Amino acid sequence: MIKLIPFQGTVTMITDLMGQNGEGAGCSKLMTVENSMGSIVNFVVTPATYFAEHEAVAAGDMVTGYYDGNAPAILIYPPQYPAIVMVKEKPYQNVKADYFNTQLISSNGELQLIISPYTQILLTNGQPFSGSIANRNLIVFYGTATNSVPAQTNPYKIIVLCQ
């Protein structure tokens, strides 16, 4: 199971990653992100990385990158993780990528989803998802949430991460 770990900060640099013999030039990027406390993470962004709302990201943008906390990582500084999801931060939009259980509560117990007939439920390729969203990794787009514990929200869009 994938354990999605977020890291939020400002993109300070984006460079191309090359495969052996120069193959794949331009297909993968190394995105350096620095948070407000000065911590730095390098995200390896590939064509398989899901960009929320398919937004282009540039140096200076505030982003949240999600990586698999259960995956092995090379021991270098700054840490380098394959990005699973990248979210360009925007005002008035909340995005959470996490595992949601049978009650549609996030793994940290902070957010519960209340699904309405107007909630779009899609695959990463934009096609409708017809199965159950319980016990899955989801990318949830929502506006407001209650002040309860867990906070409850009626998301306007959900992207199902099928592995």
Side-chain angles (χ1 to χ4, degrees):
M1 180 173 86
I2 291 177
K3 178 177 170 64
L4 294 169
I5 305 293
F7 184 83
Q8 184 178 52
T10 303
V11 176
T12 58
M13 184 171 48
I14 301 173
T15 57
D16 283 337
L17 280 179
M18 299 264 206
Q20 291 180 340
N21 303 323
E23 44 194 60
C27 290
S28 294
K29 309 278 185 192
L30 190 67
M31 190 176 291
T32 303
V33 178
E34 183 175 352
N35 71 8
S36 60
M37 297 177 23
S39 297
I40 297 172
V41 165
N42 285 326
F43 285 108
V44 176
V45 178
T46 69
T49 302
Y50 180 80
F51 277 79
E53 305 288 25
H54 303 288
E55 294 247 14
V57 173
D61 289 339
M62 177 70 80
V63 298
T64 300
Y66 292 85
Y67 62 93
D68 184 357
N70 290 333
I74 55 177
L75 295 174
I76 59 172
Y77 183 82
Q80 182 173 306
Y81 304 114
I84 296 171
V85 176
M86 295 297 293
V87 178
K88 183 176 177 179
E89 298 298 326
K90 294 192 272 186
Y92 310 111
Q93 175 179 279
N94 297 304
V95 180
K96 183 171 186 72
D98 204 349
Y99 176 83
F100 288 82
N101 66 17
T102 55
Q103 288 84 40
L104 299 180
I105 297 174
S106 62
S107 66
N108 62 5
E110 293 180 355
L111 187 65
Q112 183 174 23
L113 308 180
I114 308 298
I115 306 303
S116 82
Y118 302 106
T119 303
Q120 291 183 32
I121 302 175
L122 307 170
L123 294 167
T124 55
N125 63 7
Q127 297 304 304
F129 177 77
S130 56
S132 170
I133 62 171
N135 295 316
R136 291 186 180 270
N137 285 304
L138 308 172
I139 306 168
V140 179
F141 298 82
Y142 63 100
T144 59
T146 64
N147 287 329
S148 60
V149 177
Q152 295 181 342
T153 189
N154 185 323
Y156 56 88
K157 184 174 2 179
I158 296 173
I159 305 295
V160 179
L161 296 174
C162 295
Q163 272 74 38

